[in-house]
């Protein structure tokens, strides 16, 4: 009698493969398990995610729909199908999926988030009452209560009630931070400050630079990286890779026994490049560039300059107030520990700006700085600059069937339109409505800019912020 598979262990393995973007492997293994047991909603979910990761969207949709038939309209599969339809600008179908998911499981906050991409939720609706109940439920985890509070913040803010909306966001961030241990400050790689222009002059490559498809678009989250990737991916020779974090992975794999100078000397003398080995295979022989938008690459760009000084780099910036608000309003699923307090956000933005200025002065690579405000006001001009940087012509990839301009997709500071919706300047200056609430962010930002060192700040508990004297009242 054949042994019953250990589904718990198998699911954990496939989950890790999906998270690591090993989509070919996760697809193969999820398919094998589904042949043995088609009643597990998570298996259908993982297979659908694998197909999406491989760009096989029609098959992913068919997978989710088959899973819904086999698993009696499992709510989480409805949400995933809704998100897939959203990416294709099929808003009415997506909203139907989200509404059905909410009706089946009112606690599934991801369905509310998906619905808010297309429709406002009125303050007097049953959905708001449910979210308030979820936020107040002390039996739920901190992260679950935070998810409800983030949604309430958006709903109230979109209704014009900025003060209670911001209060919901403050409480959401407090709950989200409760499960975080360790330093919450933005971290700068110690190698960054060492890698100035003289560093690259001291460590020229001893061999011809090996071909590498990587194109790094670096900056903090919400600074326009995904929008830049969208413009780049319109060209048939550019593939959108998302947050691959390949430069960070390269830095993490370097021997810890060597200091930066020793590592640079050794790498510059190697005929090959460990970065090339980290790149996943390209989809199609015509693709020349693979875009990596991971924020973790920003402070480690020196390793790219050392190994591939000919590789173009795009650096993204955004007005500090708008960027800070977008980070504070965003419920990150992982990482970005600095995003839960206004002061740590302010220091993170200042450090990112110092890093961008540092790399512009130091890197031997061709560098293009893209400002969010210019990007959303003049996307065609920015696209021309990007094509010029990459020495590509102006040809575009044909739009997929069913894709439109996404006019129904609603913009909000916490959400990136990515490859859907129409690039719009609607959010420029949005944070002015919250200038008073963002005062701690501005003070921390200015203090960090005045600090000469390019390094991570001390931990929050020991960081002494400059106190501004208030005028005496009479």
């Amino acid at each position: 009698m054949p042994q019953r598979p250990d589904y718990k262990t198998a699911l954990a393995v496939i989950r890790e493969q999906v998270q690591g973007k090993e989509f070919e492997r996760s697809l193969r293994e999820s398919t094998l398990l589904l042949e043995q047991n088609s009643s597990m909603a998570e298996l259908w979910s993982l297979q659908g995610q694998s197909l999406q990761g491989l760009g096989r969207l029609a098959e992913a949709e068919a997978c989710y729909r088959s899973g819904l038939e086999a698993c009696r309209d499992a709510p989480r599969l409805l949400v995933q199908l809704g998100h897939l339809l959203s990416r294709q600008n099929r808003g009415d179908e997506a909203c139907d999926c989200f509404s059905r998911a909410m009706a089946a499981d009112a606690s599934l906050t991801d369905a509310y988030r998906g619905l808010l991409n297309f429709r406002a939720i009125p303050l007097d609706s049953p959905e708001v009452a449910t979210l308030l109940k979820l936020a107040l439920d002390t039996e739920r985890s901190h992260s679950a209560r935070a998810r409800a509070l983030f949604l309430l913040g958006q709903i109230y803010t979109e209704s014009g009630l900025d003060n209670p909306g911001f209060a919901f966001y403050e409480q959401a961030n407090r709950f989200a931070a409760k499960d975080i241990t360790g330093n919450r400050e933005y971290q700068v790689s110690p190698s960054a400050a060492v890698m100035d222009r003289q560093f690259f002059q001291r460590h020229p490559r001893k061999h011809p630079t090996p071909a590498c498809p990587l194109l790094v678009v670096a900056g903090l989250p919400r600074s326009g990286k995904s929008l830049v990737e969208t413009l780049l991916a319109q060209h048939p020779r550019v593939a959108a890779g998302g947050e691959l974090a390949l430069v960070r992975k390269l830095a993490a794999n370097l021997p810890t026994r060597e200091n930066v100078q020793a590592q640079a000397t050794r790498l510059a003398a190697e005929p090959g490049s460990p970065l090339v080995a980290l790149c996943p295979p390209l989809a199609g022989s015509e693709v020349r560039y693979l875009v990596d938008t991971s924020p973790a690459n920003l402070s480690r760009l020196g390793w790219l300059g050392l190994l591939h000084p000919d590789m173009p780099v795009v650096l993204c910036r955004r007005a500090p107030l708008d960027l800070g608000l977008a980070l504070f309003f965003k419920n990150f699923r992982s990482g970005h520990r600095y995003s839960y307090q206004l002061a740590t956000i302010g220091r993170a933005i200042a450090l990112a700006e110092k890093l961008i200025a540092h790399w512009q002065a130091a890197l031997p690579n061709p560098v293009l700085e893209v400002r969010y405000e210019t990007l959303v006001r003049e996307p065609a001009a920015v696209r021309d600059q990007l094509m010029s940087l990459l020495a590509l012509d102006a040809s575009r990839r044909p739009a997929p069937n069913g894709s439109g301009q996404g006019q129904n997709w609603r913009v909000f500071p916490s959400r990136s339109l990515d490859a859907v919706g129409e690039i719009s300047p609607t959010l420029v200056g949005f944070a002015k409505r919250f200038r008073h609430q963002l005062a701690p962010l501005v003070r921390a930002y200015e203090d960090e800019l005045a600090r000469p060192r390019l390094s991570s700040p001390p931990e929050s508990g020991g960081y002494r912020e400059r106190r501004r004297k208030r005028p005496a009242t009479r």
Side-chain angles (χ1 to χ4, degrees):
M1 182 176 179
Q3 187 175 2
R4 187 174 184 272
D6 181 356
Y7 287 113
K8 184 177 180 180
T9 301
L11 285 171
V13 170
I14 299 172
R15 264 187 241 115
E16 287 184 9
Q17 292 168 348
V18 170
Q19 290 167 2
K21 301 193 175 184
E22 301 175 60
F23 297 122
E24 292 282 3
R25 291 182 63 191
S26 60
L27 176 60
R28 184 168 58 251
E29 297 193 23
S30 61
T31 301
L32 286 172
L33 278 182
L34 278 171
E35 290 174 355
Q36 302 172 49
N37 186 343
S38 62
S39 63
M40 299 180 68
E42 188 174 2
L43 264 179
W44 289 104
S45 168
L46 291 167
Q47 186 182 66
Q49 291 177 64
S50 303
L51 289 164
Q52 281 187 254
L54 294 169
R56 294 157 60 176
L57 302 187
E59 293 175 70
E61 180 180 345
C63 168
Y64 291 137
R65 293 192 185 280
S66 296
L68 288 168
E69 289 181 11
C71 303
R72 298 182 181 180
D73 280 2
R76 292 193 180 277
L77 282 178
L78 281 167
V79 170
Q80 286 186 292
L81 176 58
H83 286 316
L84 175 61
L85 296 170
S86 298
R87 310 296 300 178
Q88 298 174 344
N89 291 318
R90 295 159 64 182
D92 290 340
E93 296 174 78
C95 288
D96 178 65
C97 288
F98 296 133
S99 298
R100 287 163 58 195
M102 289 160 59
D105 183 356
S107 68
L108 197 56
T109 50
D110 205 25
Y112 296 78
R113 185 173 66 87
L115 191 65
L116 281 168
N117 287 333
F118 299 97
R119 299 176 186 171
I121 296 179
L123 290 178
D124 59 353
S125 66
E127 289 81 7
V128 170
T130 299
L131 287 171
L132 284 167
K133 182 179 178 181
L134 295 173
L136 293 170
D137 186 355
T138 57
E139 297 298 317
R140 294 171 62 80
S141 67
H142 293 138
S143 59
R145 296 176 72 184
R147 286 194 292 272
L149 287 161
F150 274 109
L151 290 166
L152 287 167
Q154 178 176 345
I155 291 167
Y156 272 73
T157 300
E158 288 188 327
S159 299
L161 298 176
D162 288 352
N163 288 332
F166 197 87
F168 278 122
Y169 277 116
E170 286 184 310
Q171 189 60 52
N173 279 286
R174 289 192 196 101
F175 274 125
K178 284 182 181 291
D179 296 329
I180 296 175
T181 57
N183 192 356
R184 298 182 188 174
E185 295 287 347
Y186 179 73
Q187 297 299 298
V188 175
S189 172
S191 64
V194 177
M195 294 179 168
D196 54 14
R197 183 161 289 277
Q198 289 71 35
F199 172 88
F200 295 106
Q201 292 172 349
R202 288 195 301 270
H203 299 285
R205 282 196 62 85
K206 308 297 184 186
H207 302 275
T209 305
C212 180
L214 189 62
L215 173 58
V216 174
V217 179
L220 287 181
R222 330 310 311 158
S223 61
K225 296 184 287 77
S226 295
L227 296 179
V228 167
E229 183 181 48
T230 297
L231 293 178
L232 287 165
Q234 290 176 359
H235 198 283
R237 301 205 67 195
V238 183
E243 297 186 1
L244 298 169
L246 297 183
V247 182
R248 180 196 64 77
K249 291 175 183 177
L250 166 71
N253 290 337
L254 293 173
T256 56
R257 65 180 181 276
E258 298 177 340
N259 61 30
V260 175
Q261 300 292 344
Q263 289 170 337
T265 300
R266 178 177 54 79
L267 289 172
E270 289 185 6
S273 166
L275 194 56
V276 175
L278 289 172
C279 288
L282 298 177
S285 57
E286 67 175 355
V287 176
R288 167 64 182 87
Y289 292 102
L290 175 67
V291 182
D292 183 350
T293 60
S294 173
N297 290 330
L298 179 59
S299 73
R300 301 168 175 87
L301 289 176
W303 301 111
L304 183 69
L306 181 74
L307 291 168
H308 299 277
D310 60 329
M311 184 61 61
V313 175
V314 181
L315 300 171
C316 295
R317 291 183 59 173
R318 186 176 182 180
L321 214 61
D322 283 345
L323 178 54
L325 186 82
L327 289 167
F328 196 62
F329 281 10
K330 174 67 176 176
N331 184 16
F332 289 101
R333 294 184 183 275
S334 63
H336 310 297
R337 297 179 173 188
Y338 59 86
S339 68
Y340 302 111
Q341 290 181 306
L342 293 173
T344 52
I345 290 174
R347 289 192 281 273
I349 294 172
L351 272 167
E353 291 185 2
K354 288 198 283 188
L355 278 166
I356 287 172
H358 173 74
W359 294 130
Q360 286 175 313
L363 283 177
N365 306 66
V367 173
L368 175 66
E369 179 185 288
V370 173
R371 294 187 176 255
Y372 177 91
E373 295 73 24
T374 305
L375 169 63
V376 296
R377 287 183 176 126
E378 306 172 45
V382 172
R383 184 179 184 276
D384 289 344
Q385 290 179 318
L386 292 167
M387 295 303 107
S388 176
L389 176 74
L390 304 182
L392 295 175
D393 57 36
S395 61
R396 293 173 181 252
R397 180 179 281 110
N401 292 334
S403 68
Q405 290 301 309
Q407 297 288 349
N408 294 326
W409 190 281
R410 303 167 67 242
V411 295
F412 195 72
S414 63
R415 183 174 56 246
S416 171
L417 294 179
D418 298 335
V420 299
E422 184 177 18
I423 295 178
S424 162
T426 303
L427 296 178
V428 174
F430 186 94
K432 290 178 182 177
R433 290 165 51 179
F434 303 91
R435 183 177 293 277
H436 173 72
Q437 291 97 326
L438 294 175
L441 182 153
V442 175
R443 286 196 297 270
Y445 168 79
E446 292 174 349
D447 286 344
E448 180 56 46
L449 277 185
R451 195 172 71 103
R453 290 180 58 107
L454 181 61
S455 60
S456 303
E459 292 191 25
S460 301
Y463 194 97
R464 299 182 62 186
E465 296 184 32
R466 172 166 52 91
R467 298 285 183 181
R468 294 186 176 179
K469 293 182 179 180
R470 297 182 178 180
T473 55
R474 295 184 180 180

